[in-house]
Every structure is written in structure tokens, then in C-alpha cells.
Amino acid sequence: MSQTGADELVQVLEDWGVSHVYGLPGDSIDTTVDGLRKKQANIKFIQVRHEEVGALAAASEAKLTGKLGVCLSIGGPGAIHMLNGLYDAKMDHAPVLALLGQVKSNLLNTDYFQEVNTPKLFDDVAVYNREIKSVKQIPKIVDEAIREAYAHHGVAVLTIPDDIPEGSIKSAYHSSAKSFQLPKPTAPDDQVTEAVKLLNAAKKPIALIGRGARDASTTVQKFVETYQIPFVQTLPAKGTIADDHPNSLGNVGKLGTKPAYEAMREADMLILIGTNYPYVNFLPKPGKAKCVQIEMNPLNLNRRYPADVAINADSGKTISQILASGLRPSDGQFLKACQEDMANWNKWMHGKRSLDSEPVAPESLFDYVHQTAPKNTVFSIDVGTATSWSARFLPIEQNQKFLISANLGTMGCALPGAIAAQAAYPNRPTIAINGDGAFAMVMEDFVTAVKYKMPLICIVLNNQKLAFIEYEQQEAGQLNYQIDLKDVDYAKFADACGSVGITAKSNAEFRSALDRAYKITDRPVLINTYVADNAPLPGKIVNSEAAGYLSFGLQYVGKHHKIPELPPLKDIMRQFF
């Protein structure tokens, strides 16, 4: 029995276990959409209001599940809208398939309405980029595109002139989905032996754990406990081991803790596990520490830090090999010193968590979210101060998930991420935390969550400004300019969408709102929370940052003839010295 090219396309998606497609129908993709309509019982089409949100949702689903995310749009303007979300997938190494419509094949190269050269446009973002020329190619190329997206942890883009999927295919295509497996190589014995030798000789070892270790959390936790060492997790890996683990020093970098910064300065052994951490200034100075790196992507070996033993292998398997190859526990002295440092840090942070102010202190807001969120919550966090506060005041447990735009850092990622979380895990609570500037970029798709009755909780941190940019300008020694935002009543907006909107201006109001939101299960809830403009100081203020703030302060005094509002002096002092 013959099928159309669109039917075969959808069958290949189904073979690969695709359960959701995010996008908008339209004239140059409607034939493919019609194929999805026929299989709507197996693959759910989630209609978004903006193609960027569809691409960000597909990227988010891939990051959360490790499985292929799929999005589609018309050619021309719709495809162009998708680029930002696809770059998010590219830079966070998430497998995504983008299906792009195109004008009918007889109209190609005629400068027809909405004709855009999408193969050229998407060349940089894609690991696989093809324009389909005939109906017979469709299932084979779709199958190949999915393999490439998985194999290279990236974006596959297919441009499909809309008349081609209308054609018939007489014989059914058998996809490679069942036979496809990504290799998980083990480390060579000689490299394991050399790594164990270096680890046994170290006096001040520390582990930096990245996203590549997420599937080996139990093994990696056993390693840090057996070896008796402190560890730091990159922000995308947050929760691989629970943040409240006694060996944890939190995150490192501008959003990290002072104990993590200081431990990196003192370490004589750095173990990099599944990470391509780019902020090399927060790692030990090259030459001060020996390094063992475990990394699946050979291109990332020695890329950020010179490794004495660079192991191109699976993190979990390699750590298991190391544990079974004569690894001796460290004497625990460096761990003990780091734990004492961390205990002092946590005492400082406890005072921040207890702040009771109006507007709401972000520190206490995130602490209450942490205290009350169910143990299996999925958190989708936007960029800017939302990321800053979550890094420090939102500890993640192993059964929770933490989603960010890690390497692109695109504003507006939290809401699409929450939509994807609800699509992938409909029985798990989902909390999106957005700044007001970021939320305004994608707020039209809050109604998507309403349409599909997704009971996510959307918290908007409303301080009527681009707060993170405020601090970036100050750190650079510049006066603030064009960071103020016109206030929007986001609670009324949520009501207008047919959802529940709540405004909170104090700790008590926010806590009451969140408690209420947990009980609403048939629609999303938006909490428009007016927050104080507290500065998310770096865990350790370095000299260049201090010089920038000083330059800003001098310019401010010269212009306004008064001292600018600053964080409490005790905060500045303890995080500078």
C-alpha cells in the first residue's frame, strides 16, 4: 500500500520515539502538518504562538530527556524566527530536528513570496543540513538526519518544498531507529593506571563535574565520597549530585561560591569529569595543578586546561575503572578545610535567605521555592538575575531537574523550557522563573500553556529593569543607561489568557501565592512578584570587577553629586577579601 511522503516522514519520527512536535502550521509546511494530523494519537503537535518558542521548547525537551526534540515552521519568516532556539540547541549540544517548509519546487529560484535560501541560512547552526529534492528521499534523509543529530549532539535541519511530501511512495521504508546506538567507550588500562597514580599522589584534589556526568550521578557520587574530595558542579550539571551533599562547594565562577573559588586556587589536582567549562580564569593556574580529564568529545580534551591524562571515554565507565584500579582515599584534610570554609559561607547565606523586605528579597523568594517545591520538580530558569539567584539560593536534589540556556544565555528561555517539561513529564511539577525583561520576550506563549492545560507555575521577578545588565554596566565602569522597563501587570495578563494571575509585593504575599499555585492543577499560574533590586555579587570579587565598580561610583558621584546605592559593606568586604 502506497503512502505519501508526509506519511513516511511521520512514520520515521514515530520509529525514533518522537512524541511531540512544536511549531506553527502554514502554507509551505502544511503537507507535513497534514501527515502529523493523521498520527495525532501517537505524536502530539503543540501549537506555539512564536516559532522561536517552538525551537526553544524542542531544545529544552532534548536537554531534559536526552531524546530528540522536533520543531517545524513555514519557510521564510517562520524559519528565521526559529534560528535563536536552534542556536541554543547547538551551543548546549542538544539533539534537535528542525523541519522547515519551502515554496513549491517549481517556484524555487524565482524570488517567490517568502522564498529564503534556508540551507545557506542554517549552515552554521546545523550538523546536518539538507534540502529534499524528491519524495523518495524523504524517509531516508529524515532517518539520516536524526542519526546525525544524535551522533553529533546537535541540530539537523531539513528544508522541504511543500509539494514534495504530497507524492506517493510505494514501498515502506525501514528506519534505523531500533539498531542505532551511541558508543560508550571505556578508558585504556594504561591511562586509568596513570590517572590513579596521579590521584593517589595528590594532596589537594578537587573535582569539577559537568553535564557529561549526568547519566553517571551515582558512580560519580561514589567517587567523591570514596576518594574524600570536594567537588564543584558546573551550572548545567547542577543537581547531578545533590547540591546539599557534604562534599559540595556549589558552583564556581561569577555565579558561584567563594569557597569554590578559593579551593580552585589551592588545588594541586583537578579532575574534570564530562565538562568543557569555558571560564578558565576560575580554574587553577596552569602548572599549579595536575589534571585528569574524562571527556566523550575528543575535541574538548585539553581545550580549556592542560591535562596530564586526557581520557576520551564515557564518564561513568571511566570512574568505575578508576575506583576498581587501586584508588586510595585522600587523607581528607583538604576536604575538611573546604567544608569548614563552606560552613562559614552557608552561615552568611542563611542571613540572606531570611531577608524580609518589601519588595520581596530574591534570596528569600528562592529559598521558599526550595523549601516547598516537590522532590521531583523540574525547574526552568531564565537568564540574568534569575540564573544568579538560582545558582546560589536554589539547591537542586538528584530527583529534580534544572534547565537553563547554558552557553547561548538567551533571554526568554524559561517559559519554553517549562512548556517542554510539561510535555515530556506531564505528571511532574514544573516551575519557571523569569525576569520581567526575559518574560516579556516570549509572554505570548503563556497562552500555549493555558491552551494545553499545563499546570506549570510561572514566577516573574518584576523589578522594572534589566537588572543583570545594570550590574554588567557597573562592573565595566559605565553609568547605567536604558535599563529601566515600563511596569506591566503580568497578573492581569495571565487572567486575560484564561489562567490565574497573582500579584505579590511582600514575602507573606509571595508565600501565600506559591502555596495556592501548588494546588491548581488544571491550568498554569503566573505570580507577578515585585522584587528588590539586590545585587547578586560574585562569590569572589576579583580586582578587575572592583576597579570597574570604583570607576562607576566615581562617575556617578560626578554626575549626581551623591553616592550610588551599594550592597551592604559587609557583603562587599567578605566577598572581596
Side-chain angles (χ1 to χ4, degrees):
M1 179 179 175
S2 65
Q3 293 197 97
T4 68
D7 295 333
E8 284 287 301
L9 185 158
V10 175
Q11 184 59 57
V12 174
L13 296 182
E14 193 175 347
D15 289 349
W16 281 92
V18 172
S19 56
H20 303 97
V21 174
Y22 303 90
L24 273 172
D27 57 354
S28 62
I29 196 70
D30 275 344
T31 304
T32 299
V33 172
D34 190 56
L36 288 166
R37 176 190 61 79
K38 297 174 186 177
K39 286 293 188 84
Q40 59 186 287
N42 301 332
I43 299 178
K44 183 175 182 179
F45 187 94
I46 298 179
Q47 177 213 70
V48 296
R49 295 300 184 97
H50 195 287
E51 292 90 350
E52 179 188 6
V53 170
L56 284 169
S60 297
E61 182 169 333
K63 285 187 271 188
L64 285 168
T65 66
K67 297 179 180 180
L68 185 79
V70 183
C71 53
L72 66 75
S73 81
I74 64 167
I80 294 167
H81 281 164
M82 292 177 73
L83 260 176
N84 191 58
L86 296 181
Y87 267 101
D88 178 71
K90 172 189 176 176
M91 296 181 69
D92 280 357
H93 312 291
V96 166
L97 173 66
L99 303 173
L100 309 182
Q102 182 57 287
V103 300
K104 292 184 178 182
S105 50
N106 67 314
L107 298 172
L108 286 170
N109 304 314
T110 66
D111 293 328
Y112 194 73
F113 176 67
Q114 292 189 336
E115 182 187 0
V116 169
N117 187 350
T118 48
K120 184 174 182 179
L121 179 66
F122 285 78
D123 187 59
D124 179 63
V125 80
V127 297
Y128 184 87
N129 185 15
R130 297 287 188 275
E131 182 173 41
I132 291 178
K133 303 292 187 181
S134 73
V135 66
K136 291 181 179 179
Q137 294 178 338
I138 289 177
K140 180 181 181 297
I141 289 181
V142 173
D143 192 39
E144 191 172 272
I146 294 172
R147 291 200 307 271
E148 293 286 331
Y150 273 125
H152 297 287
H153 305 283
V155 178
V157 177
L158 299 181
T159 298
I160 311 171
D162 196 48
D163 59 308
I164 291 178
E166 293 175 343
S168 297
I169 299 177
K170 291 183 179 180
S171 57
Y173 177 82
H174 299 286
S175 74
S176 60
K178 289 183 179 179
S179 61
F180 180 82
Q181 276 191 324
L182 288 175
K184 289 190 174 183
T186 56
D189 289 340
D190 60 333
Q191 285 194 311
V192 173
T193 299
E194 185 62 25
V196 170
K197 181 180 177 181
L198 289 177
L199 294 171
N200 284 342
K203 299 297 183 184
K204 297 179 178 180
I206 187 170
L208 179 60
I209 300 167
R211 186 169 47 197
R214 282 194 304 185
D215 292 336
S217 57
T218 301
T219 303
V220 174
Q221 181 171 328
K222 182 180 179 182
F223 169 72
V224 298
E225 291 172 350
T226 301
Y227 191 32
Q228 297 188 80
I229 63 165
F231 69 88
V232 173
Q233 297 181 107
T234 65
L235 202 55
K238 188 175 170 70
T240 300
I241 302 175
D243 280 332
D244 62 358
H245 190 281
N247 293 30
S248 174
L249 302 181
N251 306 113
V252 72
K254 285 182 179 293
L255 308 182
T257 69
K258 188 177 181 183
Y261 177 91
E262 292 172 341
M264 284 291 181
R265 297 273 80 82
E266 292 295 318
D268 66 1
M269 165 57 67
L270 176 63
I271 307 106
L272 298 171
I273 306 175
T275 180
N276 186 35
Y277 183 77
Y279 307 107
V280 295
N281 290 338
F282 292 97
L283 299 178
K285 292 183 178 179
K288 179 175 174 55
K290 298 289 186 181
C291 177
V292 172
Q293 183 178 9
I294 306 167
E295 172 61 45
M296 279 285 287
N297 185 347
L299 298 178
N300 291 337
L301 293 171
N302 289 294
R303 189 175 186 183
R304 307 298 186 183
Y305 197 86
D308 296 273
V309 182
I311 302 174
N312 179 206
D314 176 73
S315 294
K317 287 186 175 181
T318 303
I319 292 298
S320 293
Q321 290 175 268
I322 288 173
L323 286 168
S325 301
L327 179 70
R328 296 192 301 269
S330 71
D331 62 16
Q333 292 304 305
F334 187 55
L335 172 61
K336 182 179 178 182
C338 289
Q339 287 172 330
E340 291 173 354
D341 201 10
M342 196 65 183
N344 287 331
W345 173 265
N346 286 333
K347 288 179 182 177
W348 294 342
M349 295 300 105
H350 179 73
K352 293 290 186 182
R353 294 175 187 275
S354 303
L355 290 172
D356 188 4
S357 63
E358 188 173 330
V360 181
E363 301 94 327
S364 62
L365 180 154
F366 277 86
D367 185 60
Y368 192 69
V369 171
H370 163 61
Q371 290 178 36
T372 58
K375 300 299 183 184
N376 62 340
T377 298
V378 180
F379 294 101
S380 183
I381 309 297
D382 225 302
V383 301
T385 53
T387 302
S388 301
W389 297 123
S390 67
R392 196 166 293 165
F393 295 100
L394 186 61
I396 301 299
E397 302 179 19
Q398 274 185 306
N399 290 329
Q400 296 175 333
K401 288 183 177 290
F402 182 80
L403 178 65
I404 59 170
S405 175
N407 291 297
L408 183 61
T410 184
M411 291 175 70
C413 63
L415 178 60
I419 290 170
Q422 278 289 290
Y425 307 113
N427 297 320
R428 295 183 66 163
T430 301
I431 299 177
I433 306 181
N434 335 244
D436 49 351
F439 182 70
M441 290 188 172
V442 295
M443 60 191 287
E444 74 286 338
D445 267 286
F446 186 76
V447 77
T448 299
V450 177
K451 175 177 179 176
Y452 294 105
K453 297 180 171 59
M454 295 177 169
L456 61 88
I457 299 172
C458 186
I459 300 171
V460 178
L461 308 177
N462 191 340
N463 51 19
Q464 303 98 61
K465 64 173 58 177
L466 300 169
F468 199 81
I469 296 172
E470 173 186 22
Y471 306 123
E472 286 180 330
Q473 289 178 350
Q474 293 175 6
E475 181 190 321
Q478 302 162 352
L479 290 175
N480 292 132
Y481 182 65
Q482 290 294 342
I483 58 167
D484 296 328
L485 300 174
K486 179 73 172 66
D487 190 18
V488 175
D489 192 332
Y490 293 106
K492 285 185 178 178
F493 162 75
D495 290 338
C497 290
S499 181
V500 177
I502 309 171
T503 295
K505 295 185 177 181
S506 68
N507 276 9
E509 288 180 354
F510 174 74
R511 294 181 178 193
S512 175
L514 187 59
D515 292 345
R516 178 185 170 195
Y518 287 132
K519 299 173 184 176
I520 297 173
T521 59
D522 63 343
R523 68 191 72 186
V525 178
L526 187 149
I527 306 176
N528 180 31
T529 311
Y530 287 85
V531 294
D533 186 23
N534 295 350
L537 292 175
K540 175 67 170 70
I541 300 174
V542 298
N543 289 336
S544 60
E545 292 166 340
Y549 284 122
L550 178 60
S551 175
F552 158 74
L554 292 173
Q555 292 182 70
Y556 188 95
V557 170
K559 182 176 181 179
H560 299 285
H561 306 293
K562 64 179 182 178
I563 297 174
E565 285 190 32
L566 296 171
L569 182 60
K570 63 180 180 180
D571 291 348
I572 296 174
M573 297 295 285
R574 72 186 177 206
Q575 285 166 243
F576 182 70
F577 294 103

